[in-house]
Amino acid sequence: MRSGNPTLTDKTFESRPWAGEEAMTVPGTVNKTLLSLLILVAGASITWQLSGTNPALLPALSGLGLLGGLVVALVTVFKKEWSPLTAPLYAGLEGLVLGSVSAFAEGLYPGLPMQAVGLTFGTLFSLLLAYRSGLIRATENG
């Protein structure tokens, strides 16, 4: 595949584990996604709580999350072997952004951000449980 995008090289789609690691499995993917979700929720919750006590911190936390998330994403693109460290860090930084944006939206539309975020997280959590329990099975046919 020819592309100028550094994330879409021929190596990107090879199905082989990193040196010293096992092949990717559905339970392993579900566990890592769930951990990332929990880290994201923690970051968003901290920011949400701080918005009630010190709203002046929201722009700084949002900026930290945006810029930090961009840097961590770029590092992950070029150093894929660092992803066990950068993925949780990225989830936490994006949690800061999500919490800040939600707190801002709460001022404009009271109650709506909590419903939207709750439904989104609940849907992902439910799907992760369905995959983990075997209710939904991953196949090569999609």
PDB file of all heavy atoms in Angstrom, residues 10-46:
ATOM      1  N   ASP A  10       3.372  -0.615   4.906  1.00  0.00           N
ATOM      2  CA  ASP A  10       3.119  -2.047   4.728  1.00  0.00           C
ATOM      3  C   ASP A  10       3.205  -2.788   6.054  1.00  0.00           C
ATOM      4  O   ASP A  10       2.489  -3.750   6.292  1.00  0.00           O
ATOM      5  CB  ASP A  10       4.105  -2.646   3.723  1.00  0.00           C
ATOM      6  CG  ASP A  10       3.838  -2.164   2.304  1.00  0.00           C
ATOM      7  OD1 ASP A  10       2.669  -1.828   2.023  1.00  0.00           O
ATOM      8  OD2 ASP A  10       4.779  -2.114   1.501  1.00  0.00           O
ATOM      9  N   LYS A  11       4.077  -2.337   6.940  1.00  0.00           N
ATOM     10  CA  LYS A  11       4.240  -2.995   8.246  1.00  0.00           C
ATOM     11  C   LYS A  11       3.012  -2.826   9.143  1.00  0.00           C
ATOM     12  O   LYS A  11       2.782  -3.631  10.032  1.00  0.00           O
ATOM     13  CB  LYS A  11       5.458  -2.430   8.986  1.00  0.00           C
ATOM     14  CG  LYS A  11       6.775  -2.826   8.417  1.00  0.00           C
ATOM     15  CD  LYS A  11       7.865  -2.186   9.266  1.00  0.00           C
ATOM     16  CE  LYS A  11       9.201  -2.803   9.022  1.00  0.00           C
ATOM     17  NZ  LYS A  11      10.207  -2.202   9.900  1.00  0.00           N
ATOM     18  N   THR A  12       2.243  -1.779   8.931  1.00  0.00           N
ATOM     19  CA  THR A  12       1.098  -1.479   9.783  1.00  0.00           C
ATOM     20  C   THR A  12       0.117  -2.638   9.849  1.00  0.00           C
ATOM     21  O   THR A  12      -0.442  -2.932  10.896  1.00  0.00           O
ATOM     22  CB  THR A  12       0.369  -0.218   9.286  1.00  0.00           C
ATOM     23  OG1 THR A  12       1.279   0.860   9.283  1.00  0.00           O
ATOM     24  CG2 THR A  12      -0.809   0.118  10.179  1.00  0.00           C
ATOM     25  N   PHE A  13      -0.079  -3.298   8.735  1.00  0.00           N
ATOM     26  CA  PHE A  13      -1.113  -4.326   8.656  1.00  0.00           C
ATOM     27  C   PHE A  13      -0.574  -5.745   8.801  1.00  0.00           C
ATOM     28  O   PHE A  13      -1.304  -6.702   8.605  1.00  0.00           O
ATOM     29  CB  PHE A  13      -1.899  -4.162   7.350  1.00  0.00           C
ATOM     30  CG  PHE A  13      -2.550  -2.816   7.258  1.00  0.00           C
ATOM     31  CD1 PHE A  13      -1.997  -1.815   6.481  1.00  0.00           C
ATOM     32  CD2 PHE A  13      -3.685  -2.527   7.993  1.00  0.00           C
ATOM     33  CE1 PHE A  13      -2.581  -0.560   6.416  1.00  0.00           C
ATOM     34  CE2 PHE A  13      -4.274  -1.282   7.941  1.00  0.00           C
ATOM     35  CZ  PHE A  13      -3.721  -0.295   7.149  1.00  0.00           C
ATOM     36  N   GLU A  14       0.711  -5.872   9.138  1.00  0.00           N
ATOM     37  CA  GLU A  14       1.260  -7.200   9.407  1.00  0.00           C
ATOM     38  C   GLU A  14       0.703  -7.704  10.723  1.00  0.00           C
ATOM     39  O   GLU A  14       0.539  -6.956  11.682  1.00  0.00           O
ATOM     40  CB  GLU A  14       2.788  -7.148   9.490  1.00  0.00           C
ATOM     41  CG  GLU A  14       3.454  -6.971   8.155  1.00  0.00           C
ATOM     42  CD  GLU A  14       4.972  -6.930   8.286  1.00  0.00           C
ATOM     43  OE1 GLU A  14       5.492  -7.175   9.401  1.00  0.00           O
ATOM     44  OE2 GLU A  14       5.629  -6.646   7.282  1.00  0.00           O
ATOM     45  N   SER A  15       0.434  -8.984  10.774  1.00  0.00           N
ATOM     46  CA  SER A  15      -0.136  -9.574  11.981  1.00  0.00           C
ATOM     47  C   SER A  15       0.917 -10.404  12.696  1.00  0.00           C
ATOM     48  O   SER A  15       0.909 -11.625  12.670  1.00  0.00           O
ATOM     49  CB  SER A  15      -1.340 -10.444  11.607  1.00  0.00           C
ATOM     50  OG  SER A  15      -1.883 -11.014  12.764  1.00  0.00           O
ATOM     51  N   ARG A  16       1.834  -9.713  13.338  1.00  0.00           N
ATOM     52  CA  ARG A  16       2.837 -10.425  14.118  1.00  0.00           C
ATOM     53  C   ARG A  16       3.075  -9.653  15.410  1.00  0.00           C
ATOM     54  O   ARG A  16       3.052  -8.429  15.418  1.00  0.00           O
ATOM     55  CB  ARG A  16       4.136 -10.602  13.345  1.00  0.00           C
ATOM     56  CG  ARG A  16       4.803  -9.319  12.958  1.00  0.00           C
ATOM     57  CD  ARG A  16       6.091  -9.593  12.178  1.00  0.00           C
ATOM     58  NE  ARG A  16       6.648  -8.364  11.698  1.00  0.00           N
ATOM     59  CZ  ARG A  16       7.399  -7.540  12.415  1.00  0.00           C
ATOM     60  NH1 ARG A  16       7.698  -7.818  13.659  1.00  0.00           N
ATOM     61  NH2 ARG A  16       7.862  -6.425  11.903  1.00  0.00           N
ATOM     62  N   PRO A  17       3.293 -10.387  16.491  1.00  0.00           N
ATOM     63  CA  PRO A  17       3.521  -9.698  17.770  1.00  0.00           C
ATOM     64  C   PRO A  17       4.910  -9.075  17.820  1.00  0.00           C
ATOM     65  O   PRO A  17       5.799  -9.458  17.074  1.00  0.00           O
ATOM     66  CB  PRO A  17       3.374 -10.821  18.797  1.00  0.00           C
ATOM     67  CG  PRO A  17       3.655 -12.068  18.040  1.00  0.00           C
ATOM     68  CD  PRO A  17       3.250 -11.820  16.628  1.00  0.00           C
ATOM     69  N   TRP A  18       5.066  -8.108  18.716  1.00  0.00           N
ATOM     70  CA  TRP A  18       6.383  -7.521  18.960  1.00  0.00           C
ATOM     71  C   TRP A  18       7.278  -8.563  19.592  1.00  0.00           C
ATOM     72  O   TRP A  18       6.807  -9.551  20.162  1.00  0.00           O
ATOM     73  CB  TRP A  18       6.258  -6.319  19.904  1.00  0.00           C
ATOM     74  CG  TRP A  18       5.529  -5.162  19.304  1.00  0.00           C
ATOM     75  CD1 TRP A  18       4.219  -4.851  19.502  1.00  0.00           C
ATOM     76  CD2 TRP A  18       6.029  -4.199  18.393  1.00  0.00           C
ATOM     77  NE1 TRP A  18       3.874  -3.746  18.781  1.00  0.00           N
ATOM     78  CE2 TRP A  18       4.976  -3.324  18.085  1.00  0.00           C
ATOM     79  CE3 TRP A  18       7.268  -3.983  17.807  1.00  0.00           C
ATOM     80  CZ2 TRP A  18       5.121  -2.249  17.228  1.00  0.00           C
ATOM     81  CZ3 TRP A  18       7.413  -2.900  16.947  1.00  0.00           C
ATOM     82  CH2 TRP A  18       6.353  -2.056  16.670  1.00  0.00           C
ATOM     83  N   ALA A  19       8.554  -8.333  19.543  1.00  0.00           N
ATOM     84  CA  ALA A  19       9.512  -9.278  20.123  1.00  0.00           C
ATOM     85  C   ALA A  19       9.202  -9.476  21.598  1.00  0.00           C
ATOM     86  O   ALA A  19       9.026  -8.523  22.352  1.00  0.00           O
ATOM     87  CB  ALA A  19      10.930  -8.758  19.944  1.00  0.00           C
ATOM     88  N   GLY A  20       9.084 -10.723  21.998  1.00  0.00           N
ATOM     89  CA  GLY A  20       8.834 -11.046  23.397  1.00  0.00           C
ATOM     90  C   GLY A  20       7.383 -10.912  23.816  1.00  0.00           C
ATOM     91  O   GLY A  20       7.071 -11.038  24.989  1.00  0.00           O
ATOM     92  N   GLU A  21       6.486 -10.645  22.897  1.00  0.00           N
ATOM     93  CA  GLU A  21       5.076 -10.494  23.229  1.00  0.00           C
ATOM     94  C   GLU A  21       4.246 -11.561  22.536  1.00  0.00           C
ATOM     95  O   GLU A  21       4.656 -12.119  21.530  1.00  0.00           O
ATOM     96  CB  GLU A  21       4.585  -9.111  22.802  1.00  0.00           C
ATOM     97  CG  GLU A  21       5.332  -7.998  23.503  1.00  0.00           C
ATOM     98  CD  GLU A  21       4.435  -6.856  23.865  1.00  0.00           C
ATOM     99  OE1 GLU A  21       3.240  -6.911  23.574  1.00  0.00           O
ATOM    100  OE2 GLU A  21       4.943  -5.922  24.472  1.00  0.00           O
ATOM    101  N   GLU A  22       3.079 -11.820  23.082  1.00  0.00           N
ATOM    102  CA  GLU A  22       2.174 -12.789  22.489  1.00  0.00           C
ATOM    103  C   GLU A  22       1.299 -12.124  21.434  1.00  0.00           C
ATOM    104  O   GLU A  22       1.215 -10.910  21.363  1.00  0.00           O
ATOM    105  CB  GLU A  22       1.282 -13.389  23.584  1.00  0.00           C
ATOM    106  CG  GLU A  22       2.059 -14.166  24.626  1.00  0.00           C
ATOM    107  CD  GLU A  22       1.159 -14.704  25.715  1.00  0.00           C
ATOM    108  OE1 GLU A  22      -0.054 -14.831  25.478  1.00  0.00           O
ATOM    109  OE2 GLU A  22       1.679 -14.987  26.787  1.00  0.00           O
ATOM    110  N   ALA A  23       0.641 -12.946  20.625  1.00  0.00           N
ATOM    111  CA  ALA A  23      -0.271 -12.414  19.614  1.00  0.00           C
ATOM    112  C   ALA A  23      -1.463 -11.737  20.282  1.00  0.00           C
ATOM    113  O   ALA A  23      -1.852 -12.068  21.396  1.00  0.00           O
ATOM    114  CB  ALA A  23      -0.752 -13.547  18.710  1.00  0.00           C
ATOM    115  N   MET A  24      -2.050 -10.805  19.573  1.00  0.00           N
ATOM    116  CA  MET A  24      -3.212 -10.067  20.071  1.00  0.00           C
ATOM    117  C   MET A  24      -4.419 -10.997  20.180  1.00  0.00           C
ATOM    118  O   MET A  24      -4.671 -11.800  19.296  1.00  0.00           O
ATOM    119  CB  MET A  24      -3.520  -8.944  19.081  1.00  0.00           C
ATOM    120  CG  MET A  24      -4.576  -8.010  19.488  1.00  0.00           C
ATOM    121  SD  MET A  24      -4.564  -6.652  18.292  1.00  0.00           S
ATOM    122  CE  MET A  24      -6.238  -6.142  18.409  1.00  0.00           C
ATOM    123  N   THR A  25      -5.157 -10.872  21.281  1.00  0.00           N
ATOM    124  CA  THR A  25      -6.361 -11.672  21.487  1.00  0.00           C
ATOM    125  C   THR A  25      -7.533 -10.749  21.790  1.00  0.00           C
ATOM    126  O   THR A  25      -7.338  -9.602  22.206  1.00  0.00           O
ATOM    127  CB  THR A  25      -6.195 -12.650  22.673  1.00  0.00           C
ATOM    128  OG1 THR A  25      -6.010 -11.880  23.869  1.00  0.00           O
ATOM    129  CG2 THR A  25      -5.018 -13.594  22.460  1.00  0.00           C
ATOM    130  N   VAL A  26      -8.743 -11.247  21.604  1.00  0.00           N
ATOM    131  CA  VAL A  26      -9.928 -10.437  21.918  1.00  0.00           C
ATOM    132  C   VAL A  26      -9.981 -10.113  23.413  1.00  0.00           C
ATOM    133  O   VAL A  26     -10.180  -8.950  23.787  1.00  0.00           O
ATOM    134  CB  VAL A  26     -11.218 -11.125  21.424  1.00  0.00           C
ATOM    135  CG1 VAL A  26     -12.449 -10.401  21.943  1.00  0.00           C
ATOM    136  CG2 VAL A  26     -11.241 -11.184  19.909  1.00  0.00           C
ATOM    137  N   PRO A  27      -9.791 -11.096  24.314  1.00  0.00           N
ATOM    138  CA  PRO A  27      -9.823 -10.738  25.740  1.00  0.00           C
ATOM    139  C   PRO A  27      -8.744  -9.721  26.124  1.00  0.00           C
ATOM    140  O   PRO A  27      -9.004  -8.821  26.918  1.00  0.00           O
ATOM    141  CB  PRO A  27      -9.592 -12.069  26.452  1.00  0.00           C
ATOM    142  CG  PRO A  27     -10.023 -13.109  25.480  1.00  0.00           C
ATOM    143  CD  PRO A  27      -9.708 -12.550  24.133  1.00  0.00           C
ATOM    144  N   GLY A  28      -7.566  -9.844  25.536  1.00  0.00           N
ATOM    145  CA  GLY A  28      -6.507  -8.880  25.836  1.00  0.00           C
ATOM    146  C   GLY A  28      -6.868  -7.486  25.357  1.00  0.00           C
ATOM    147  O   GLY A  28      -6.639  -6.492  26.053  1.00  0.00           O
ATOM    148  N   THR A  29      -7.447  -7.406  24.165  1.00  0.00           N
ATOM    149  CA  THR A  29      -7.875  -6.122  23.618  1.00  0.00           C
ATOM    150  C   THR A  29      -8.984  -5.513  24.463  1.00  0.00           C
ATOM    151  O   THR A  29      -8.970  -4.315  24.757  1.00  0.00           O
ATOM    152  CB  THR A  29      -8.348  -6.289  22.166  1.00  0.00           C
ATOM    153  OG1 THR A  29      -7.289  -6.863  21.402  1.00  0.00           O
ATOM    154  CG2 THR A  29      -8.764  -4.971  21.565  1.00  0.00           C
ATOM    155  N   VAL A  30      -9.937  -6.340  24.867  1.00  0.00           N
ATOM    156  CA  VAL A  30     -11.038  -5.858  25.710  1.00  0.00           C
ATOM    157  C   VAL A  30     -10.491  -5.337  27.037  1.00  0.00           C
ATOM    158  O   VAL A  30     -10.879  -4.258  27.498  1.00  0.00           O
ATOM    159  CB  VAL A  30     -12.083  -6.974  25.938  1.00  0.00           C
ATOM    160  CG1 VAL A  30     -13.063  -6.598  27.029  1.00  0.00           C
ATOM    161  CG2 VAL A  30     -12.822  -7.286  24.649  1.00  0.00           C
ATOM    162  N   ASN A  31      -9.581  -6.075  27.649  1.00  0.00           N
ATOM    163  CA  ASN A  31      -9.012  -5.649  28.936  1.00  0.00           C
ATOM    164  C   ASN A  31      -8.276  -4.322  28.809  1.00  0.00           C
ATOM    165  O   ASN A  31      -8.428  -3.433  29.651  1.00  0.00           O
ATOM    166  CB  ASN A  31      -8.078  -6.717  29.482  1.00  0.00           C
ATOM    167  CG  ASN A  31      -8.810  -7.969  29.901  1.00  0.00           C
ATOM    168  OD1 ASN A  31     -10.017  -7.958  30.111  1.00  0.00           O
ATOM    169  ND2 ASN A  31      -8.084  -9.061  30.013  1.00  0.00           N
ATOM    170  N   LYS A  32      -7.484  -4.174  27.747  1.00  0.00           N
ATOM    171  CA  LYS A  32      -6.726  -2.930  27.573  1.00  0.00           C
ATOM    172  C   LYS A  32      -7.647  -1.756  27.245  1.00  0.00           C
ATOM    173  O   LYS A  32      -7.421  -0.637  27.699  1.00  0.00           O
ATOM    174  CB  LYS A  32      -5.661  -3.117  26.500  1.00  0.00           C
ATOM    175  CG  LYS A  32      -4.548  -4.031  26.977  1.00  0.00           C
ATOM    176  CD  LYS A  32      -3.524  -4.309  25.910  1.00  0.00           C
ATOM    177  CE  LYS A  32      -2.490  -5.284  26.454  1.00  0.00           C
ATOM    178  NZ  LYS A  32      -1.499  -5.651  25.449  1.00  0.00           N
ATOM    179  N   THR A  33      -8.689  -2.014  26.466  1.00  0.00           N
ATOM    180  CA  THR A  33      -9.656  -0.956  26.165  1.00  0.00           C
ATOM    181  C   THR A  33     -10.412  -0.538  27.425  1.00  0.00           C
ATOM    182  O   THR A  33     -10.643   0.650  27.661  1.00  0.00           O
ATOM    183  CB  THR A  33     -10.642  -1.422  25.071  1.00  0.00           C
ATOM    184  OG1 THR A  33      -9.907  -1.829  23.920  1.00  0.00           O
ATOM    185  CG2 THR A  33     -11.619  -0.328  24.703  1.00  0.00           C
ATOM    186  N   LEU A  34     -10.789  -1.511  28.244  1.00  0.00           N
ATOM    187  CA  LEU A  34     -11.472  -1.208  29.501  1.00  0.00           C
ATOM    188  C   LEU A  34     -10.575  -0.398  30.429  1.00  0.00           C
ATOM    189  O   LEU A  34     -11.033   0.578  31.044  1.00  0.00           O
ATOM    190  CB  LEU A  34     -11.917  -2.502  30.187  1.00  0.00           C
ATOM    191  CG  LEU A  34     -12.728  -2.345  31.466  1.00  0.00           C
ATOM    192  CD1 LEU A  34     -14.002  -1.548  31.209  1.00  0.00           C
ATOM    193  CD2 LEU A  34     -13.073  -3.706  32.043  1.00  0.00           C
ATOM    194  N   LEU A  35      -9.315  -0.753  30.510  1.00  0.00           N
ATOM    195  CA  LEU A  35      -8.377   0.013  31.332  1.00  0.00           C
ATOM    196  C   LEU A  35      -8.260   1.447  30.812  1.00  0.00           C
ATOM    197  O   LEU A  35      -8.282   2.404  31.596  1.00  0.00           O
ATOM    198  CB  LEU A  35      -7.003  -0.665  31.357  1.00  0.00           C
ATOM    199  CG  LEU A  35      -5.932   0.039  32.167  1.00  0.00           C
ATOM    200  CD1 LEU A  35      -6.322   0.122  33.639  1.00  0.00           C
ATOM    201  CD2 LEU A  35      -4.600  -0.668  32.008  1.00  0.00           C
ATOM    202  N   SER A  36      -8.165   1.605  29.491  1.00  0.00           N
ATOM    203  CA  SER A  36      -8.092   2.951  28.907  1.00  0.00           C
ATOM    204  C   SER A  36      -9.358   3.740  29.205  1.00  0.00           C
ATOM    205  O   SER A  36      -9.304   4.940  29.493  1.00  0.00           O
ATOM    206  CB  SER A  36      -7.869   2.872  27.397  1.00  0.00           C
ATOM    207  OG  SER A  36      -6.606   2.328  27.115  1.00  0.00           O
ATOM    208  N   LEU A  37     -10.509   3.075  29.127  1.00  0.00           N
ATOM    209  CA  LEU A  37     -11.776   3.735  29.437  1.00  0.00           C
ATOM    210  C   LEU A  37     -11.805   4.206  30.890  1.00  0.00           C
ATOM    211  O   LEU A  37     -12.222   5.331  31.183  1.00  0.00           O
ATOM    212  CB  LEU A  37     -12.951   2.796  29.164  1.00  0.00           C
ATOM    213  CG  LEU A  37     -14.349   3.313  29.511  1.00  0.00           C
ATOM    214  CD1 LEU A  37     -14.700   4.537  28.682  1.00  0.00           C
ATOM    215  CD2 LEU A  37     -15.381   2.222  29.325  1.00  0.00           C
ATOM    216  N   LEU A  38     -11.352   3.367  31.802  1.00  0.00           N
ATOM    217  CA  LEU A  38     -11.334   3.747  33.220  1.00  0.00           C
ATOM    218  C   LEU A  38     -10.397   4.923  33.478  1.00  0.00           C
ATOM    219  O   LEU A  38     -10.721   5.832  34.255  1.00  0.00           O
ATOM    220  CB  LEU A  38     -10.950   2.548  34.081  1.00  0.00           C
ATOM    221  CG  LEU A  38     -11.963   1.405  34.102  1.00  0.00           C
ATOM    222  CD1 LEU A  38     -11.413   0.214  34.896  1.00  0.00           C
ATOM    223  CD2 LEU A  38     -13.293   1.861  34.656  1.00  0.00           C
ATOM    224  N   ILE A  39      -9.254   4.943  32.805  1.00  0.00           N
ATOM    225  CA  ILE A  39      -8.314   6.060  32.954  1.00  0.00           C
ATOM    226  C   ILE A  39      -8.936   7.339  32.396  1.00  0.00           C
ATOM    227  O   ILE A  39      -8.838   8.410  32.999  1.00  0.00           O
ATOM    228  CB  ILE A  39      -6.971   5.735  32.272  1.00  0.00           C
ATOM    229  CG1 ILE A  39      -6.261   4.614  33.032  1.00  0.00           C
ATOM    230  CG2 ILE A  39      -6.083   6.967  32.189  1.00  0.00           C
ATOM    231  CD1 ILE A  39      -5.061   4.035  32.314  1.00  0.00           C
ATOM    232  N   LEU A  40      -9.599   7.232  31.241  1.00  0.00           N
ATOM    233  CA  LEU A  40     -10.269   8.385  30.645  1.00  0.00           C
ATOM    234  C   LEU A  40     -11.354   8.918  31.575  1.00  0.00           C
ATOM    235  O   LEU A  40     -11.460  10.124  31.791  1.00  0.00           O
ATOM    236  CB  LEU A  40     -10.858   8.007  29.286  1.00  0.00           C
ATOM    237  CG  LEU A  40     -11.484   9.163  28.519  1.00  0.00           C
ATOM    238  CD1 LEU A  40     -11.036   9.124  27.068  1.00  0.00           C
ATOM    239  CD2 LEU A  40     -12.983   9.105  28.603  1.00  0.00           C
ATOM    240  N   VAL A  41     -12.145   8.026  32.140  1.00  0.00           N
ATOM    241  CA  VAL A  41     -13.210   8.441  33.071  1.00  0.00           C
ATOM    242  C   VAL A  41     -12.609   9.121  34.299  1.00  0.00           C
ATOM    243  O   VAL A  41     -13.142  10.132  34.778  1.00  0.00           O
ATOM    244  CB  VAL A  41     -14.088   7.231  33.473  1.00  0.00           C
ATOM    245  CG1 VAL A  41     -15.009   7.580  34.620  1.00  0.00           C
ATOM    246  CG2 VAL A  41     -14.895   6.748  32.277  1.00  0.00           C
ATOM    247  N   ALA A  42     -11.495   8.600  34.795  1.00  0.00           N
ATOM    248  CA  ALA A  42     -10.847   9.217  35.960  1.00  0.00           C
ATOM    249  C   ALA A  42     -10.385  10.634  35.630  1.00  0.00           C
ATOM    250  O   ALA A  42     -10.615  11.573  36.408  1.00  0.00           O
ATOM    251  CB  ALA A  42      -9.673   8.362  36.430  1.00  0.00           C
ATOM    252  N   GLY A  43      -9.747  10.810  34.477  1.00  0.00           N
ATOM    253  CA  GLY A  43      -9.299  12.144  34.074  1.00  0.00           C
ATOM    254  C   GLY A  43     -10.461  13.103  33.891  1.00  0.00           C
ATOM    255  O   GLY A  43     -10.412  14.257  34.330  1.00  0.00           O
ATOM    256  N   ALA A  44     -11.528  12.631  33.253  1.00  0.00           N
ATOM    257  CA  ALA A  44     -12.705  13.481  33.049  1.00  0.00           C
ATOM    258  C   ALA A  44     -13.366  13.822  34.377  1.00  0.00           C
ATOM    259  O   ALA A  44     -13.812  14.957  34.586  1.00  0.00           O
ATOM    260  CB  ALA A  44     -13.687  12.779  32.115  1.00  0.00           C
ATOM    261  N   SER A  45     -13.434  12.853  35.288  1.00  0.00           N
ATOM    262  CA  SER A  45     -14.064  13.091  36.595  1.00  0.00           C
ATOM    263  C   SER A  45     -13.296  14.113  37.413  1.00  0.00           C
ATOM    264  O   SER A  45     -13.898  14.987  38.050  1.00  0.00           O
ATOM    265  CB  SER A  45     -14.160  11.782  37.378  1.00  0.00           C
ATOM    266  OG  SER A  45     -14.974  10.864  36.707  1.00  0.00           O
ATOM    267  N   ILE A  46     -11.981  14.017  37.390  1.00  0.00           N
ATOM    268  CA  ILE A  46     -11.155  14.977  38.134  1.00  0.00           C
ATOM    269  C   ILE A  46     -11.385  16.386  37.594  1.00  0.00           C
ATOM    270  O   ILE A  46     -11.594  17.334  38.356  1.00  0.00           O
ATOM    271  CB  ILE A  46      -9.668  14.583  38.060  1.00  0.00           C
ATOM    272  CG1 ILE A  46      -9.427  13.326  38.894  1.00  0.00           C
ATOM    273  CG2 ILE A  46      -8.765  15.723  38.515  1.00  0.00           C
ATOM    274  CD1 ILE A  46      -8.073  12.681  38.676  1.00  0.00           C
TER     275      ILE A  46
END
